[in-house]
């Protein structure tokens, strides 16, 4: 199984709006739903088909489908920070102990904006980023290197984890300090350290005019999935 963790980008937030827009929802109605999501209203008016569209076009599903692997997304659509991602990975380790069917082949970590966390190390951005990455890297390695878990796992050639970044600053540190795990974003025969560098034209707001949702559209998610697949197939 491939475990995916990240923030709302990994969840595929907003992809349902492509489906709903195609089904006749006006931009104003989509905007009303966006406001509801931001306000974290407890009632979700979206139907099964809209949510299935989101799942099918999210990059975790695209990667798993191409590699013919089961998968799970360990984080949700809320504004996850690096600490929440860390907690999710630790929770997934407990699930590995509970059942052999929960064994993890590799973990795809989408690093989010480091400023969402309240921690600054030595007043240095790079040191702060390195600290966060190391915690997550150690947690991923801890799962793969655990003897009990590994004895119940299928052998595979994947690294314990691979990481891609929304923001360029984290991407640069990943490339420099964790080159074996770093997943570059490939687009138009160029390589980038983050997907914020290539998202113009591939956001929901770019294809549904008037909708202020800057999450990736289905084309953008395809670019990310292709980059992850390329990394895992190395």
């Amino acid at each position: 199984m491939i475990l995916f963790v990240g923030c709302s980008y990994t969840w595929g937030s907003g992809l349902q709006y492509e489906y709903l827009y195609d089904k006749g929802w006006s931009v104003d109605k989509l905007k009303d739903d966006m406001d509801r999501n931001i306000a974290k209203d407890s009632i979700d008016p979206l139907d099964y088909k809209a949510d299935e569209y989101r799942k099918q076009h999210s990059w975790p599903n695209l990667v798993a489908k191409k590699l013919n692997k089961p998968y799970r997304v360990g984080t949700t659509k809320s504004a996850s920070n690096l600490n929440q991602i860390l907690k999710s990975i630790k929770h997934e380790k407990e699930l590995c102990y509970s059942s052999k069917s929960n064994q993890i082949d590799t973990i795809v970590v989408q690093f989010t904006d480091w400023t969402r966390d309240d921690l600054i190390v030595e007043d240095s951005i790079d040191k702060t980023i390195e600290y966060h990455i190391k915690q997550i890297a150690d947690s991923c390695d801890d799962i793969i290197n655990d003897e009990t878990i590994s004895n119940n796992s299928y052998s595979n050639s994947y690294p314990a984890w691979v990481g891609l970044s929304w923001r360029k600053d984290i991407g640069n540190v990943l490339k420099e300090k964790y080159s074996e795990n770093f997943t570059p974003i490939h687009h138009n025969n160029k390589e980038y350290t983050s997907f914020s560098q290539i998202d113009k034209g591939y956001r929901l707001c770019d294809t549904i005019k008037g909708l202020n949702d800057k999450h990736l559209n289905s084309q953008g998610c395809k670019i990310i999935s292709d980059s992850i697949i390329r990394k895992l197939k190395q």
Side-chain angles (χ1 to χ4, degrees):
M1 182 193 74
I2 301 175
L3 173 65
F4 293 85
V5 291
C7 64
S8 53
Y9 284 101
T10 294
W11 181 255
S13 284
L15 288 171
Q16 69 272 15
Y17 295 142
E18 292 182 333
Y19 172 87
L20 294 170
Y21 187 64
D22 185 58
K23 292 299 180 183
W25 277 39
S26 67
V27 171
D28 285 340
K29 189 173 182 180
L30 295 177
K31 288 164 71 174
D32 287 343
D33 187 73
M34 269 195 69
D35 293 339
R36 174 199 63 85
N37 281 333
I38 292 171
K40 303 192 188 308
D41 193 297
S42 61
I43 300 174
D44 192 341
L46 301 182
D47 62 17
Y48 175 84
K49 290 181 179 179
D51 194 46
E52 278 301 300
Y53 181 95
R54 173 194 63 78
K55 293 177 185 177
Q56 293 299 318
H57 291 81
S58 66
W59 74 60
N61 182 71
L62 295 175
V63 171
K65 183 177 181 180
K66 182 67 176 181
L67 297 178
N68 195 26
K69 285 282 186 180
Y71 77 99
R72 185 163 61 241
V73 179
T75 46
T76 64
K77 62 183 177 181
S78 61
S80 300
N81 57 26
L82 296 172
N83 187 53
Q84 289 173 324
I85 292 172
L86 181 64
K87 289 179 179 177
S88 174
I89 294 170
K90 291 180 177 179
H91 172 68
E92 292 292 336
K93 182 180 180 181
E94 296 304 314
L95 293 180
C96 288
Y97 286 133
S98 69
S99 172
K100 292 181 179 180
S101 63
N102 289 328
Q103 303 314 304
I104 295 170
D105 294 327
T106 190
I107 302 170
V108 177
V109 182
Q110 176 250 305
F111 289 87
T112 188
D113 192 333
W114 66 271
T115 62
R116 289 178 172 177
D117 290 88
D118 247 352
L119 179 66
I120 302 294
V121 178
E122 299 178 5
D123 295 322
S124 165
I125 292 176
D126 280 356
K127 290 293 184 184
T128 300
I129 291 172
E130 284 181 42
Y131 175 78
H132 283 298
I133 295 175
K134 186 177 187 307
Q135 287 189 91
I136 291 174
D138 288 348
S139 291
C140 293
D141 290 338
D142 192 40
I143 291 177
I144 303 301
N145 295 331
D146 185 282
E147 185 175 354
T148 301
I149 294 173
S150 63
N151 286 341
N152 293 325
S153 300
Y154 297 105
S155 61
N156 67 81
S157 59
Y158 299 143
W161 65 279
V162 296
L164 65 148
S165 180
W166 170 21
R167 297 300 193 188
K168 185 177 178 181
D169 48 9
I170 294 184
N172 289 341
V173 174
L174 279 170
K175 183 178 181 179
E176 179 185 354
K177 303 291 185 180
Y178 294 89
S179 59
E180 292 185 3
N181 309 91
F182 167 63
T183 302
I185 305 302
H186 296 276
H187 182 54
N188 289 339
N189 297 316
K190 293 183 179 179
E191 184 179 295
Y192 300 90
T193 56
S194 68
F195 58 83
S196 65
Q197 295 167 277
I198 60 94
D199 64 358
K200 302 299 186 293
Y202 298 102
R203 303 170 300 179
L204 290 159
C205 60
D206 297 319
T207 47
I208 303 177
K209 300 302 180 183
L211 182 68
N212 188 30
D213 191 327
K214 296 182 179 180
H215 288 104
L216 295 175
N217 60 25
S218 54
Q219 291 176 297
C221 288
K222 180 66 164 56
I223 293 171
I224 304 305
S225 69
D226 287 346
S227 298
I228 296 170
I229 291 165
R230 183 169 174 171
K231 176 66 179 181
L232 292 177
K233 283 188 171 182
Q234 283 182 352

